[in-house]
Amino acid sequence: GPPFLANVTKDGREAFFQLFRDQNQTKAQLKTAVESWASTYGVSEEVAEFETAMKAEQTERRANLTTAIGQLQEAVNKLTSLEDAQDLTMVQTREQIEAAIDAMSPELRNLVIAAGRPPMPPRG
């Protein structure tokens, strides 16, 4: 669970998890319930800090994904070029494709793999 749960009683932790059992509530309703819970258990500041940190991570993840989407065509072109290069051995092709993929950001790597990266030449 979130780190602020370490600062509440067992009953407080149980009450926190109970908030998430109703799958029909909106996110806004859940946020209000969590804020009320935090006030009851004296952890409003910790909950707010946690929410701020989670929002910052979400913003960074979205920015990284947007950047990777912008780089996808160039990455696919590079891998395709390596796959088609007639002046490379099969081993060199595999090594260069692996190196190119390893050099990508995790987000770009995931997009390239999901898009169907060039097949690796057989080993041996």
Side-chain angles (χ1 to χ4, degrees), residues 9 11 22 31 35-36 59 62 83 90 101 109 123:
T9 64
D11 289 341
D22 180 2
K31 180 178 172 60
E35 289 169 351
S36 176
T59 299
R62 288 176 178 176
E83 181 184 26
M90 297 294 257
I101 290 172
R109 185 178 312 118
R123 294 184 187 262

Side-chain angles (χ1 to χ4, degrees), residues 2-9 13 37 41-43 46:
F4 54 80
L5 289 178
N7 300 327
V8 298
T9 64
R13 287 189 294 275
W37 171 89
Y41 289 93
V43 290
E46 291 94 332

Side-chain angles (χ1 to χ4, degrees), residues 80-90 92-93:
T80 301
S81 175
L82 289 170
E83 181 184 26
D84 293 344
Q86 296 298 306
D87 60 336
L88 297 175
T89 66
M90 297 294 257
Q92 290 171 324
T93 300

Side-chain angles (χ1 to χ4, degrees), residues 34-50:
V34 169
E35 289 169 351
S36 176
W37 171 89
S39 178
T40 299
Y41 289 93
V43 290
S44 294
E45 187 174 318
E46 291 94 332
V47 169
E49 289 171 2
F50 179 77

Side-chain angles (χ1 to χ4, degrees), residues 45-115:
E45 187 174 318
E46 291 94 332
V47 169
E49 289 171 2
F50 179 77
E51 287 178 359
T52 299
M54 295 300 292
K55 184 66 174 173
E57 286 181 26
Q58 179 187 56
T59 299
E60 181 180 358
R61 187 177 60 253
R62 288 176 178 176
N64 290 345
L65 182 57
T66 299
T67 298
I69 289 169
Q71 298 168 339
L72 182 58
Q73 183 64 55
E74 181 181 336
V76 169
N77 290 346
K78 180 176 184 172
L79 295 175
T80 301
S81 175
L82 289 170
E83 181 184 26
D84 293 344
Q86 296 298 306
D87 60 336
L88 297 175
T89 66
M90 297 294 257
V91 170
Q92 290 171 324
T93 300
R94 181 178 44 257
E95 289 173 350
Q96 289 187 30
I97 288 173
E98 287 174 352
I101 290 172
D102 288 346
M104 295 174 186
S105 69
E107 296 82 8
L108 180 57
R109 185 178 312 118
N110 289 339
L111 286 173
V112 167
I113 290 169

